Amino acid sequence: MTESSSKTANTDYDVIIVGAGFGGLTAVHRMRELGFSVRLFEAGTDVGGTWYWNQYPGLKVDVESVEYSLSFSYVIEQEWSWSERYAGPQELCRYANFVADRLDLRRDIQLDTRIDSAEFDEDSGIWALTSNSGEKLRSRFVMMCTGMLNQPIKPQFKGLDSFEGKQYHSARWPKEGVDLSDQRVGVIGTGSSGVQIISTIASEVKHLHVFHRTPGYCLPLRNCKMPEEYSKRVKANYGEWRAAERYNSFGGWVALNYQIGELVTGSALDATPEEQQALFDERWKSGGLSFYNVYPDVYTDLEANAVLGKYLQAKIRERIKDPKLAEILTPTYPVLTKRLIAETNYYEVYEQDNVELVDLREQGIDEITPKGVRVGDTEYELDCLVFATGFDAMTGSLKAMDVRGRNGLTFAEHWDDGARTHMGLMSAGFPNLFIINAAGSPAPLFQPIILGQEQVQWVGRLLTQLAERELNCIEPSAEAEDNWGGLCEESVAATLFPLTDSWYLGNNVPGKSRTGLAYFGGMASYRQAMTDAEVCGYDGDFMLSTLPKGGN
Ligand code: NAP
């Protein structure tokens, strides 16, 4: 890259990256490959991102390990072997460490350092960042790889701080573990995190109260030791699958499904009942989230959706002996409009004498008391309270950080009425700041690990082009943001997702606007939008310039 494009006497690095998850690791490697000087800052004491922070009991990745892998390095792909079909957080962190070591990324990574603030200087076009230890850093470009599910939320129940026992959040579970034996434990929340925690701790605790509001579609993960033959077959075919299926499929994933499958096309309504049954049975047997790859109109047509919904509801009911419990635990909302929940023996846990479900559908939690949780007239006495209540997804991390763009604009202000981005990659008023895997990106039914790599590659090509054109400043126009927000709205309106409250739409956070939060048009059309921006030299939707005026 040329001297005039980014590295100046006034910067410490060309690119500062925040967050050492898979997006951040990819970014360090790519930026370095392109010849940029780079430094990554991570608040945690190790690499791994979401897998570093989320280490609660029972956690397993819900996408097959072989798919949940970085694809930009042939060496990494071939040298790493997963031990389980669905890896746990410790193995995923080992993998992140392997990537960092094998690609020699560590020398450009600073752990245990939280970036507290970032401020854009309009005259020089340089970002000034400050860490929690007071270190001051300057760079031309910033890549925020802070993740889409990173900012935990706790409902602000009355009396929350009065509880005399211990409180934990699933997303900040102590790394050394928690001894729950002989404890009376309450778990609030039965999304992916809650369900995995409940299934795992039920046999260990003295008594478990599950505070349960909306039932999810929980499906057996069917985890197992990684079959060697399967691993070999995957490695031999990785490139072909990724090119042919993942990048062009709506959901952005390969149709591996344990055996090598194909993406399903055609309408559920054109299939005979026998064909539907055969497909669904095969998915059921395969396990995990393979039901994402079924007839595409289950995402857009209520009748088609109900075909799958009824199949899964029946499967859930079969597993629950008590009819009253079955009624509470069987979901009724359109399937797939909330993320499917991958579990192991979840429903069976309710047969244990020490497990009790507290049905919150009609009567929610009134307050947290010094002794436990009160629902109506009943106080449930607890030693320990686990919040598995989710995240301020997509926007939470950047809104929580003190990031100031032009005229001191913060993300909290700019995104107050919705997530204003162009293509989920940049925001107007925040020049040279790139957002990886967060607001405005393809909706989270896709695999973030794939998306993050695509976005990093896009940023890399953009920075190279800026350098070649002797430019050093880029930001999207407000009009481009409006248009992208409009596309996000149009794309979600064409699906069934708006029929259900979920973090996909932001309505798990009181008052949060869903505008622009996520793009639901599919991975293929998202990649096309990225390519179109590149092909026209970023003109039109982006404003390009050189700062300071007249050169560095
Ligand atoms: P979540 O899906 O948002 O679930 C939050 C849970 O808390 C829901 O059951 C919700 O009930 C409940 N809740 C929230 N406020 C409540 C209140 N005031 N009273 C009672 N219940 C309340 O969060 P999550 O389970 O952490 O999962 C978030 C996402 O992270 C997942 O969808 C998935 O994408 C990802 N994840 C993946 C894995 C994996 O790879 N295995 C594991 C964990 C998470 P309502 O539904 O009624 O609002």
Side-chain angles (χ1 to χ4, degrees):
M1 60 166 302
T2 64
E3 188 63 15
S4 64
S5 63
S6 84
K7 183 90 187 315
T8 71
N10 292 327
T11 58
D12 300 298
Y13 306 99
D14 296 319
V15 187
I16 286 183
I17 298 164
V18 184
F22 291 123
L25 296 178
T26 306
V28 175
H29 180 65
R30 186 65 189 139
M31 294 306 129
R32 234 164 53 176
E33 258 185 348
L34 292 170
F36 296 96
S37 65
V38 62
R39 187 102 180 134
L40 181 150
F41 295 89
E42 162 60 49
T45 55
D46 202 353
V47 297
T50 194
W51 306 106
Y52 169 86
W53 293 105
N54 286 265
Q55 302 218 347
Y56 59 75
L59 176 57
K60 296 284 173 192
V61 61
D62 60 7
V63 173
E64 291 203 29
S65 312
V66 291
E67 287 205 63
Y68 198 89
S69 303
L70 294 167
S71 60
F72 66 82
S73 161
Y74 181 76
V75 173
I76 294 294
E77 215 170 52
Q78 296 300 316
E79 287 187 8
W80 178 262
S81 294
W82 295 102
S83 72
E84 284 183 289
R85 187 181 173 198
Y86 297 97
Q90 288 80 13
E91 184 169 13
L92 284 149
C93 284
R94 280 201 300 280
Y95 173 66
N97 274 284
F98 163 75
V99 172
D101 290 333
R102 189 66 180 85
L103 300 178
D104 188 24
L105 305 181
R106 259 183 226 289
R107 60 188 157 92
D108 293 318
I109 295 177
Q110 189 167 325
L111 298 171
D112 209 2
T113 308
R114 177 179 291 283
I115 295 296
D116 278 341
S117 67
E119 191 167 359
F120 182 69
D121 180 82
E122 302 202 31
D123 294 328
S124 62
I126 290 171
W127 282 93
L129 294 91
T130 309
S131 78
N132 56 344
S133 63
E135 200 177 348
K136 303 229 180 282
L137 304 141
R138 291 161 63 82
S139 69
R140 177 69 69 182
F141 301 104
V142 174
M143 292 177 78
M144 291 296 186
C145 301
T146 45
M148 60 171 60
L149 291 159
N150 179 44
Q151 195 67 21
I153 48 170
K154 248 186 190 184
Q156 289 308 297
F157 295 117
K158 185 178 157 201
L160 188 62
D161 295 330
S162 69
F163 183 59
E164 288 165 357
K166 290 261 170 35
Q167 295 189 25
Y168 301 97
H169 194 288
S170 55
R172 293 292 179 269
W173 200 264
K175 306 258 168 301
E176 62 281 10
V178 181
D179 182 5
L180 295 172
S181 56
D182 287 333
Q183 300 271 301
R184 295 165 303 167
V185 179
V187 176
I188 303 176
T190 51
S192 302
S193 305
V195 162
Q196 290 181 338
I197 292 172
I198 292 160
S199 319
T200 308
I201 66 171
S203 56
E204 178 190 333
V205 301
K206 184 169 172 192
H207 196 91
L208 179 61
H209 280 102
V210 177
F211 295 92
H212 183 276
R213 198 162 64 181
T214 310
Y217 288 87
C218 305
L219 314 176
L221 188 63
R222 304 202 197 287
N223 196 16
C224 61
K225 205 167 160 283
M226 179 66 73
E228 204 167 314
E229 178 278 328
Y230 177 57
S231 175
K232 273 192 188 144
R233 199 149 42 102
V234 169
K235 285 186 182 184
N237 292 285
Y238 252 139
E240 197 185 321
W241 290 336
R242 285 182 162 144
E245 297 176 291
R246 168 176 295 163
Y247 298 134
N248 296 316
S249 69
F250 180 80
W253 42 40
V254 182
L256 287 175
N257 297 326
Y258 204 37
Q259 62 266 330
I260 299 157
E262 294 200 344
L263 284 174
V264 178
T265 53
S267 166
L269 304 176
D270 291 338
T272 63
E274 292 75 24
E275 285 166 341
Q276 293 165 353
Q277 178 87 21
L279 176 68
F280 297 161
D281 282 350
E282 186 276 319
R283 295 288 182 266
W284 180 257
K285 213 168 101 211
S286 169
L289 303 192
S290 52
F291 279 96
Y292 276 112
N293 173 22
V294 290
Y295 310 104
D297 56 354
V298 295
Y299 293 99
T300 54
D301 182 294
L302 260 184
E303 204 186 329
N305 184 281
V307 176
L308 176 60
K310 281 186 187 139
Y311 176 90
L312 291 178
Q313 288 157 11
K315 286 287 187 197
I316 290 168
R317 267 192 232 99
E318 268 172 25
R319 292 174 63 188
I320 309 165
K321 289 192 185 120
D322 177 342
K324 174 94 187 8
L325 260 185
E327 191 258 317
I328 298 171
L329 288 169
T330 306
T332 51
Y333 62 82
V335 62
L336 303 176
T337 54
K338 274 181 144 174
R339 193 169 174 92
L340 295 174
I341 298 171
E343 47 76 34
T344 304
N345 294 332
Y346 170 60
Y347 294 111
E348 290 71 17
V349 150
Y350 291 99
E351 286 170 28
Q352 288 180 212
D353 291 340
N354 67 334
V355 179
E356 188 179 332
L357 184 143
V358 181
D359 183 6
L360 301 177
R361 287 175 305 167
E362 309 251 305
Q363 168 79 53
I365 291 174
D366 288 293
E367 66 173 325
I368 309 294
T369 66
K371 297 220 165 319
V373 171
R374 184 172 69 77
V375 179
D377 294 335
T378 312
E379 185 180 23
Y380 298 90
E381 292 198 6
L382 305 166
D383 304 309
C384 168
L385 194 46
V386 175
F387 288 85
T389 44
F391 301 85
D392 183 357
M394 313 295 275
T395 54
S397 301
L398 286 185
K399 279 170 96 167
M401 267 174 89
D402 185 13
V403 181
R404 291 174 189 269
R406 287 191 194 280
N407 301 315
L409 181 72
T410 63
F411 278 106
E413 291 159 351
H414 190 54
W415 288 354
D416 188 35
D417 292 333
R420 296 181 58 85
T421 73
H422 184 42
M423 298 195 297
L425 285 159
M426 297 195 82
S427 268
F430 298 86
N432 291 353
L433 182 142
F434 301 99
I435 306 160
I436 302 301
N437 240 334
S441 289
L445 67 154
F446 309 105
Q447 287 181 61
I449 196 164
I450 301 307
L451 177 63
Q453 292 178 92
E454 290 284 298
Q455 292 181 328
V456 168
Q457 300 295 342
W458 186 90
V459 173
R461 292 191 296 272
L462 163 64
L463 296 195
T464 305
Q465 227 194 86
L466 287 185
E468 282 166 7
R469 291 165 67 181
E470 302 201 351
L471 297 162
N472 64 15
C473 189
I474 182 164
E475 71 181 291
S477 66
E479 195 188 353
E481 281 189 335
D482 287 341
N483 292 339
W484 188 254
L487 261 180
C488 289
E489 285 307 293
E490 270 173 40
S491 62
V492 74
T495 70
L496 301 176
F497 287 92
L499 298 179
T500 309
D501 285 350
S502 73
W503 62 264
Y504 290 165
L505 303 177
N507 37 25
N508 63 327
V509 179
K512 182 167 172 174
S513 164
R514 81 152 194 229
T515 309
L517 199 57
Y519 174 71
F520 285 77
M523 191 66 179
S525 66
Y526 179 71
R527 292 183 77 233
Q528 189 59 51
M530 292 166 97
T531 305
D532 291 347
E534 269 180 84
V535 168
C536 70
Y538 313 97
D539 288 334
D541 288 342
F542 291 94
M543 297 173 295
L544 299 104
S545 59
T546 306
L547 286 175
K549 296 283 174 228
N552 289 305

Coordinates of all heavy atoms in Angstrom, one line a residue, residues 51 56 59-62 149 155 157 170 188-194 196 211 213-214 338-339 360 365 388-391 503 508, ligand 1:
W51 N -17.0 -17.4 22.3 CA -16.8 -18.7 22.9 C -15.9 -18.5 24.2 O -15.8 -19.3 25.1 CB -16.1 -19.7 22.0 CG -17.0 -19.8 20.8 CD1 -16.8 -19.3 19.5 CD2 -18.3 -20.4 20.7 NE1 -17.9 -19.5 18.7 CE2 -18.8 -20.2 19.4 CE3 -19.1 -21.0 21.7 CZ2 -20.1 -20.6 19.0 CZ3 -20.4 -21.5 21.3 CH2 -20.8 -21.3 20.0
Y56 N -21.0 -21.3 29.7 CA -21.9 -21.9 30.7 C -22.0 -23.4 30.5 O -21.6 -23.9 29.4 CB -23.3 -21.2 30.5 CG -23.9 -21.4 29.2 CD1 -24.5 -22.6 28.7 CD2 -24.0 -20.3 28.3 CE1 -25.0 -22.7 27.5 CE2 -24.5 -20.4 27.0 CZ -25.1 -21.6 26.6 OH -25.7 -21.7 25.4
L59 N -22.9 -25.8 27.0 CA -22.8 -25.1 25.7 C -22.1 -25.9 24.7 O -21.0 -26.5 24.9 CB -22.1 -23.8 25.9 CG -21.8 -23.0 24.6 CD1 -23.2 -22.6 23.9 CD2 -21.1 -21.7 24.9
K60 N -22.8 -26.0 23.5 CA -22.2 -26.6 22.3 C -22.6 -25.7 21.2 O -23.7 -25.1 21.2 CB -22.8 -28.0 22.0 CG -22.5 -29.0 23.1 CD -21.0 -29.5 23.0 CE -20.7 -30.4 24.2 NZ -19.3 -30.7 24.3
V61 N -21.7 -25.6 20.2 CA -22.1 -24.8 19.0 C -23.2 -25.5 18.3 O -23.2 -26.7 18.3 CB -20.8 -24.6 18.1 CG1 -20.3 -25.9 17.6 CG2 -21.2 -23.6 16.9
D62 N -24.2 -24.7 17.8 CA -25.3 -25.4 17.2 C -25.2 -25.6 15.7 O -26.2 -26.0 15.1 CB -26.7 -24.7 17.6 CG -26.7 -23.3 17.2 OD1 -25.8 -22.8 16.5 OD2 -27.7 -22.6 17.6
L149 N -23.8 -10.9 19.1 CA -24.5 -11.3 20.4 C -23.4 -11.2 21.5 O -22.8 -12.1 21.8 CB -25.0 -12.7 20.3 CG -26.1 -13.0 19.3 CD1 -26.2 -14.4 18.9 CD2 -27.4 -12.5 19.9
P155 N -33.4 -8.5 32.4 CA -34.6 -7.7 32.6 C -34.5 -6.9 34.0 O -34.0 -7.5 35.0 CB -35.7 -8.7 32.7 CG -35.2 -9.9 32.1 CD -33.7 -9.9 32.3
F157 N -36.0 -6.4 36.7 CA -37.0 -6.8 37.7 C -36.9 -5.9 38.9 O -35.8 -5.6 39.4 CB -36.9 -8.2 38.1 CG -37.1 -9.2 37.0 CD1 -36.1 -10.1 36.6 CD2 -38.3 -9.3 36.3 CE1 -36.2 -11.0 35.5 CE2 -38.5 -10.2 35.3 CZ -37.4 -11.1 34.9
S170 N -25.8 -16.1 31.7 CA -25.2 -17.2 30.8 C -24.0 -16.7 30.0 O -23.1 -17.4 29.8 CB -26.3 -17.7 29.9 OG -26.9 -16.7 29.1
I188 N -33.9 -18.3 34.6 CA -34.9 -17.4 33.9 C -34.5 -17.4 32.4 O -33.3 -17.0 32.1 CB -34.9 -16.0 34.5 CG1 -35.2 -16.0 36.0 CG2 -35.9 -15.1 33.7 CD1 -35.2 -14.6 36.6
G189 N -35.3 -17.9 31.6 CA -35.0 -17.9 30.1 C -34.9 -19.3 29.6 O -34.1 -20.1 30.2
T190 N -35.5 -19.5 28.5 CA -35.4 -20.9 27.9 C -35.2 -20.7 26.4 O -35.8 -21.4 25.5 CB -36.7 -21.7 28.1 OG1 -37.9 -20.9 27.8 CG2 -36.8 -22.1 29.6
G191 N -34.3 -19.8 26.0 CA -33.8 -19.8 24.6 C -32.6 -20.8 24.5 O -32.5 -21.7 25.4
S192 N -31.8 -20.6 23.5 CA -30.7 -21.6 23.3 C -29.8 -21.8 24.6 O -29.5 -22.9 25.0 CB -29.8 -21.2 22.2 OG -30.5 -21.1 21.0
S193 N -29.5 -20.6 25.2 CA -28.6 -20.7 26.4 C -29.3 -21.4 27.6 O -28.8 -22.3 28.2 CB -28.2 -19.3 26.9 OG -27.6 -18.5 25.8
G194 N -30.5 -20.9 27.9 CA -31.3 -21.5 29.0 C -31.5 -23.0 28.9 O -31.3 -23.8 29.8
Q196 N -29.8 -25.2 27.2 CA -28.6 -26.0 27.4 C -28.2 -26.1 28.8 O -27.7 -27.1 29.3 CB -27.5 -25.4 26.5 CG -27.7 -25.7 25.0 CD -26.6 -25.1 24.1 OE1 -25.8 -24.3 24.5 NE2 -26.5 -25.6 22.9
F211 N -38.0 -20.8 35.1 CA -39.0 -19.7 34.9 C -39.2 -19.5 33.4 O -38.3 -19.1 32.7 CB -38.5 -18.4 35.6 CG -38.5 -18.6 37.0 CD1 -37.3 -19.0 37.7 CD2 -39.6 -18.4 37.8 CE1 -37.2 -19.2 39.0 CE2 -39.6 -18.5 39.2 CZ -38.4 -18.9 39.8
R213 N -41.3 -18.7 29.8 CA -42.3 -17.8 29.2 C -42.7 -18.3 27.8 O -43.8 -18.9 27.7 CB -41.8 -16.4 29.1 CG -42.9 -15.4 28.9 CD -42.4 -14.0 29.2 NE -41.4 -13.5 28.3 CZ -40.8 -12.3 28.5 NH1 -41.2 -11.4 29.4 NH2 -39.8 -11.9 27.6
T214 N -41.9 -18.3 26.8 CA -42.3 -18.7 25.5 C -41.6 -20.0 25.1 O -40.3 -20.1 25.2 CB -41.9 -17.6 24.4 OG1 -42.4 -16.4 24.9 CG2 -42.5 -18.0 23.1
K338 N -38.0 -17.8 15.2 CA -37.0 -17.6 16.2 C -36.0 -18.7 16.0 O -36.3 -19.7 15.4 CB -37.6 -17.9 17.6 CG -38.3 -16.7 18.2 CD -38.8 -17.1 19.6 CE -38.7 -16.0 20.5 NZ -39.3 -16.2 21.8
R339 N -34.8 -18.5 16.5 CA -33.8 -19.5 16.2 C -34.2 -20.9 16.8 O -34.6 -20.9 17.9 CB -32.4 -19.1 16.7 CG -31.3 -19.9 16.2 CD -30.0 -19.3 16.5 NE -28.8 -20.2 16.1 CZ -28.2 -20.1 15.0 NH1 -28.6 -19.3 14.1 NH2 -27.2 -20.9 14.7
L360 N -44.9 -18.8 33.1 CA -45.0 -17.3 33.2 C -45.9 -16.8 32.0 O -45.9 -15.6 31.8 CB -43.6 -16.7 33.0 CG -42.5 -17.0 34.1 CD1 -41.2 -16.3 33.7 CD2 -43.0 -16.7 35.5
I365 N -42.9 -12.6 36.2 CA -42.1 -12.5 37.4 C -42.5 -11.1 38.0 O -42.4 -10.1 37.3 CB -40.6 -12.6 37.2 CG1 -40.3 -14.0 36.8 CG2 -39.8 -12.1 38.4 CD1 -38.8 -14.3 36.4
A388 N -30.6 -16.4 31.8 CA -30.3 -16.8 30.4 C -31.2 -16.0 29.5 O -32.0 -16.5 28.8 CB -30.6 -18.3 30.3
T389 N -31.1 -14.7 29.7 CA -32.1 -13.8 29.2 C -31.7 -13.0 27.9 O -32.3 -12.1 27.5 CB -32.6 -12.7 30.2 OG1 -31.4 -12.3 30.9 CG2 -33.5 -13.4 31.2
G390 N -30.5 -13.5 27.3 CA -30.2 -13.0 26.0 C -29.4 -11.8 25.9 O -28.7 -11.4 26.9
F391 N -29.5 -11.2 24.7 CA -28.5 -10.1 24.4 C -29.2 -8.9 23.7 O -30.3 -9.1 23.1 CB -27.5 -10.6 23.3 CG -26.7 -11.8 23.8 CD1 -27.2 -13.1 23.6 CD2 -25.5 -11.7 24.3 CE1 -26.5 -14.2 24.1 CE2 -24.7 -12.8 24.8 CZ -25.3 -14.0 24.6
W503 N -35.0 -11.6 19.1 CA -33.9 -10.7 19.1 C -33.5 -10.4 17.6 O -32.9 -9.4 17.4 CB -32.7 -11.3 19.8 CG -32.1 -12.5 19.4 CD1 -32.4 -13.8 19.9 CD2 -31.1 -12.7 18.4 NE1 -31.6 -14.7 19.2 CE2 -30.8 -14.1 18.3 CE3 -30.4 -11.9 17.5 CZ2 -29.9 -14.7 17.4 CZ3 -29.5 -12.4 16.7 CH2 -29.2 -13.8 16.6
N508 N -36.8 -8.1 21.8 CA -36.5 -8.6 23.2 C -35.9 -7.5 24.1 O -35.7 -7.8 25.3 CB -35.4 -9.8 23.1 CG -34.1 -9.3 22.5 OD1 -34.1 -8.4 21.7 ND2 -33.0 -9.9 23.0
Ligands
NAP1 P1 -32.7 -15.6 23.8 O1 -32.9 -16.6 22.7 O2 -33.0 -14.2 23.5 O3 -33.6 -16.1 25.0 C1 -33.8 -15.3 26.1 C2 -34.8 -16.0 27.0 O4 -35.1 -15.2 28.2 C3 -36.2 -16.3 26.4 O5 -36.7 -17.5 26.8 C4 -37.0 -15.1 26.9 O6 -38.4 -15.4 26.9 C5 -36.5 -15.1 28.3 N1 -36.8 -13.8 29.0 C6 -36.3 -12.6 28.6 N2 -36.9 -11.7 29.4 C7 -37.7 -12.3 30.3 C8 -38.5 -11.9 31.4 N3 -38.6 -10.6 31.7 N4 -39.2 -12.8 32.0 C9 -39.1 -14.1 31.7 N5 -38.3 -14.6 30.7 C10 -37.6 -13.7 30.0 O7 -31.2 -15.6 24.4 P2 -30.1 -16.8 24.4 O8 -30.8 -18.1 24.8 O9 -28.9 -16.4 25.1 O10 -29.8 -17.0 22.8 C11 -29.6 -15.9 22.0 C12 -29.0 -16.4 20.7 O11 -27.6 -16.7 20.9 C13 -29.6 -17.7 20.2 O12 -30.8 -17.5 19.5 C14 -28.5 -18.2 19.3 O13 -28.4 -17.6 18.1 C15 -27.2 -17.8 20.1 N6 -26.8 -18.9 20.9 C16 -26.2 -20.0 20.3 C17 -25.9 -21.1 21.0 C18 -25.2 -22.2 20.3 O14 -24.5 -22.1 19.3 N7 -25.4 -23.4 20.8 C19 -26.1 -21.1 22.4 C20 -26.6 -20.0 23.0 C21 -27.0 -18.9 22.3 P3 -39.3 -14.9 25.7 O15 -38.9 -15.8 24.5 O16 -40.7 -15.1 26.1 O17 -38.9 -13.5 25.4

